[in-house]
Amino acid sequence: MTLTIQHLYYLVGVILAITAVLTVRDATNPRRYSSALFWAIYAVVFLVGDRLDPVIVGVMAVAMALIAGFNGVAGGRHQPRTDAQYLESAKRLGNKLFVPALAIPLITMIGTLSGKYLLVGATPLLDPKNTTLVSLGVGCVIALCLACWMTRETPAQGIRESWRLTDALGWALVLPQMLGMLGLVFSEAGVGKAVAFVTTEYINMDIKFIAVAVYVVGMALFTVIMGNGFAAFPVMTGGVGVPVLVHHFGGNPAVMAAVGMLSGYCGTLLTPMAANFNLVPAALLEIDKNAVIKAQVPTALLLLTANVFILYFLMFLP
């Protein structure tokens, strides 16, 4: 049987369904019913979303947004381990703790590079259309098995830890998936054309340096708003990059795209909307939720400034 992206969706859906059940049973959660409903809806999207009418899925997404918007998603009070228990575990495992974490990118790389050779007869083991994502999912499952073996815990403990982190992140956990669709939605809605009109109407785009700066800074700002550089890219590239930098000034589109995405990543460093990059580490380390962003601000601003000059001088080389 070929492992496909759909199998990963089923796995995620099952974990979310278990999270919903654990949440509704958690008497310490002040909003356990609305929170459980939020995670249950999300689970249904992963489990049977491909069989539902897109309108129904859209209604479910709106329902989730309303629950989160009215502060209906909350977490319970989980019993953390003591400092002595953490210290004992750290001494016993030492640097072996990095093995499960490093196994994920290693297995992902191996699966991506060797996927086309993993065959049973003529049937591929990994979905050829989504080899990297499927390999990532396999890597996560193997990493969980390694973590259980090394810590002498059961997979049930992994589910409980998943529930704890889900509670800590709350509705922000959904942001990467939701924001990943924004680029297409904005493009279909004509936002790129609106950006092109505003920039050319109110900014003197005949000056090459200003046009470059608008594109670079715009990529960062749209990424801050959307939380995803891939969502910001079609908007700014369709509105400024292609019509102004490439067609009007004759710039190199490959350089424009590369530096544009790098500028978007500068925005990723600055926004809580990029939950998987900026909020998850803070939740894992149990520190101030904005601590990661605060540490990244100087790097982001310095790199963004450098990108303006990098794009200006490299894009128009003969």
Side-chain angles (χ1 to χ4, degrees):
M1 182 180 69
T2 301
L3 282 175
T4 68
I5 194 70
Q6 193 61 45
H7 292 107
L8 294 184
Y9 292 159
Y10 291 150
L11 178 59
V12 174
V14 169
I15 294 173
L16 288 169
I18 294 173
T19 298
V21 172
L22 293 174
T23 300
V24 81
R25 296 175 59 187
D26 183 11
T28 67
N29 189 327
R31 300 181 184 86
R32 57 175 173 164
Y33 295 111
S34 57
S35 298
L37 177 61
F38 181 88
W39 299 120
I41 294 174
Y42 201 29
V44 170
V45 171
F46 277 98
L47 290 171
V48 296
D50 59 323
R51 303 173 195 170
L52 298 176
D53 187 284
V55 174
I56 295 177
V57 177
V59 170
M60 294 168 70
V62 171
M64 291 175 64
L66 290 174
I67 294 172
F70 285 98
N71 203 24
V73 182
R77 291 192 296 273
H78 297 266
Q79 184 63 39
R81 293 188 176 188
T82 63
D83 291 341
Q85 288 174 317
Y86 280 127
L87 183 60
E88 187 278 329
S89 179
K91 287 181 178 179
R92 177 167 56 86
L93 296 172
N95 290 331
K96 295 178 182 177
L97 285 169
F98 291 102
V99 171
L102 295 175
I104 296 175
L106 178 62
I107 294 170
T108 302
M109 182 184 68
I110 292 173
T112 301
L113 297 178
S114 62
K116 61 182 178 181
Y117 304 109
L118 299 176
L119 305 172
V120 177
T123 304
L125 288 177
L126 305 178
D127 182 5
K129 296 180 181 179
N130 297 285
T131 304
T132 300
L133 289 176
V134 174
S135 299
L136 175 61
V138 172
C140 291
V141 172
I142 293 176
L144 173 62
C145 295
L146 286 172
C148 291
W149 174 66
M150 290 172 54
T151 59
R152 302 165 195 166
E153 294 284 0
T154 65
Q157 179 61 25
I159 293 294
R160 285 191 288 269
E161 286 299 308
S162 172
W163 173 42
R164 181 182 68 81
L165 283 175
T166 299
D167 263 4
L169 290 171
W171 57 265
L173 184 69
V174 182
L175 277 178
Q177 184 184 9
M178 297 295 186
L179 294 173
M181 299 182 293
L182 266 184
L184 179 59
V185 173
F186 275 36
S187 179
E188 290 295 321
V191 175
K193 295 179 181 178
V195 170
F197 172 78
V198 171
T199 53
T200 55
E201 187 74 13
Y202 298 102
I203 301 175
N204 187 1
M205 301 294 279
D206 290 328
I207 300 176
K208 190 185 298 182
F209 184 82
I210 291 179
V212 168
V214 168
Y215 177 67
V216 169
V217 176
M219 272 295 301
L221 289 178
F222 265 89
T223 301
V224 168
I225 295 170
M226 300 180 182
N228 191 308
F230 292 101
F233 185 76
V235 174
M236 287 305 301
T237 301
V240 177
V242 172
V244 179
L245 298 184
V246 177
H247 290 165
H248 181 65
F249 288 115
N252 187 324
V255 176
M256 178 270 297
V259 180
M261 283 303 300
L262 184 59
S263 303
Y265 298 150
C266 292
T268 300
L269 298 176
L270 298 170
T271 177
M273 298 291 280
N276 51 331
F277 293 108
N278 298 333
L279 297 186
V280 170
L284 287 171
L285 297 173
E286 298 179 350
I287 57 178
D288 173 27
K289 65 179 182 179
N290 294 317
V292 175
I293 296 174
K294 292 175 182 177
Q296 293 172 164
V297 167
T299 301
L301 296 180
L302 181 62
L303 182 57
L304 188 64
T305 303
N307 282 347
V308 175
F309 294 94
I310 290 172
L311 184 58
Y312 180 76
F313 288 111
L314 292 185
M315 186 175 178
F316 304 105
L317 287 176

